Amino acid sequence: MAAVLRLVPVEEYRIKMMRKAGRLSGEARAYAASLIQPGITTKEIDKALYKFIRSHGGAPNFYHLYGFRGSACMSINNEIIHGVPGNRRLEEGDILSIDTGAAVGDFKLDKNGTPHGGFHGDCAGTYAVGQISPEAQRLIDVTEQSFWEGIKNAVAGNRVSEIGRGVQAYVEANGYSVVRDFVGHGIGNEVHLSPEVPNFVMKSYPEGNPRLKVGQTLAVEPMVNEGTWRIRHNYQRDGWDVITTADGKLSAHYENTILITEGEPEVLTLVGD
């Protein structure tokens, strides 16, 4: 008897591939974190991460994206986001934020090696380098928990603003501040899509504060500062902008890609790390 060909609905296929992209992104984050130790450079971690993602059939979706020099953002201590992998050796007591993601499926690489199309995951975490201060560890813990507080509100029918409301309330109750200048985002066949997902309650929403829909995929990413929420721009020779805290105090970052479902959101980039 001939086999029956089953046609997989487009939406079912998309979600399957977003789960695949999320899993590889989460595995890449965990792998990079496992390499952290005093004496290693962020460039060494970045090169190993690139090889890891490529060897698993994906492509680092930050690789040369918007002119970035690397495959993952590596931000140290008071660097909030967009830190460039380099030759600085990590020291005992540092904290390191790693922001990474992978494209899978039928993506195409442009002339710079940046993937477009296919399906994308995005995640971040902040990690200790050796022994760190209790204050630094508390900042990391609060930042991660603020993500979970935010996505309690990531329910179909709620507005995007409810995610930020949960994040902000938890962060500020613990004496820290939420970065205002950068936000989370939609994600799918490119790494950055609408809608924007702020980590705080805005006075007005340029995109109209849309309601969340079943099947929607978002990258939720609290960026939390030890002191003021205000930032400083640090332009590199090539024009790249590394974002640091305005007061020089520590910052932490935690991010996952999530899927809006009929019930609680599904975290696509969590792999036991």
Side-chain angles (χ1 to χ4, degrees):
M1 183 177 179
V4 177
L5 178 63
R6 177 176 180 264
L7 298 178
V8 179
V10 171
E11 181 64 6
E12 182 179 330
Y13 175 74
R14 185 186 71 83
I15 291 175
K16 175 184 176 181
M17 293 303 293
M18 284 300 295
R19 286 180 175 134
K20 184 176 180 180
R23 180 163 187 83
L24 180 54
S25 299
E27 289 172 344
R29 173 176 59 184
Y31 172 70
S34 75
L35 301 177
I36 296 172
Q37 61 179 321
I40 197 170
T41 68
T42 51
K43 182 178 287 187
E44 289 170 337
I45 297 174
D46 189 71
K47 286 182 176 180
L49 182 60
Y50 177 88
K51 292 178 180 177
F52 178 89
I53 294 174
R54 294 297 281 156
S55 71
H56 285 75
N61 49 24
F62 296 167
Y63 188 72
H64 290 184
L65 183 66
Y66 312 135
F68 176 65
R69 301 190 314 277
S71 54
C73 296
M74 306 271 177
S75 305
I76 305 171
N77 294 335
N78 69 317
E79 293 176 343
I80 302 169
I81 50 173
H82 302 168
V84 180
N87 295 319
R88 179 201 187 286
R89 297 196 177 276
L90 295 176
E91 300 177 0
E92 186 93 12
D94 285 338
I95 62 173
L96 174 66
S97 296
I98 298 175
D99 191 353
T100 187
V104 302
D106 59 347
F107 60 82
K108 303 295 183 183
L109 301 179
D110 66 19
K111 64 180 181 180
N112 297 314
T114 310
H116 298 281
F119 302 88
H120 294 251
D122 189 5
C123 57
T126 302
Y127 303 96
V129 181
Q131 291 293 117
I132 62 174
S133 70
E135 293 79 14
Q137 186 61 58
R138 181 172 181 269
L139 173 65
I140 292 172
D141 294 343
V142 168
T143 302
E144 180 171 346
Q145 185 59 35
S146 73
F147 164 85
W148 297 103
E149 297 297 321
I151 70 164
K152 288 178 181 178
N153 299 329
V155 178
N158 277 0
R159 295 195 181 276
V160 166
S161 60
E162 293 307 306
I163 297 174
R165 188 181 304 278
V167 171
Q168 183 178 17
Y170 184 79
V171 168
E172 293 180 353
N174 280 276
Y176 299 122
S177 63
V178 176
V179 171
R180 263 70 161 171
D181 298 75
F182 296 89
V183 297
H185 50 89
I187 187 169
N189 64 338
E190 296 290 343
V191 67
H192 294 129
L193 297 172
S194 294
E196 292 188 344
V197 185
N199 297 302
F200 61 101
V201 178
M202 302 176 70
K203 292 182 178 178
S204 64
Y205 290 78
E207 296 179 333
N209 194 14
R211 292 189 184 277
L212 302 174
K213 300 178 181 179
V214 172
Q216 196 169 21
T217 42
L218 304 170
V220 178
E221 52 178 320
M223 291 153 271
V224 178
N225 292 350
E226 188 176 32
T228 178
W229 58 265
R230 298 187 183 279
I231 68 167
R232 176 173 290 123
H233 296 276
N234 298 269
Y235 291 100
Q236 311 299 295
R237 290 182 178 179
D238 62 357
W240 185 257
D241 188 13
V242 178
I243 307 300
T244 62
T245 58
D247 55 13
K249 293 185 177 181
L250 297 178
S251 184
H253 185 193
Y254 187 75
E255 174 184 21
N256 282 305
T257 299
I258 67 170
L259 168 69
I260 304 301
T261 73
E262 296 283 0
E264 295 180 354
E266 180 181 343
V267 182
L268 303 184
T269 45
L270 199 65
V271 292
D273 59 336

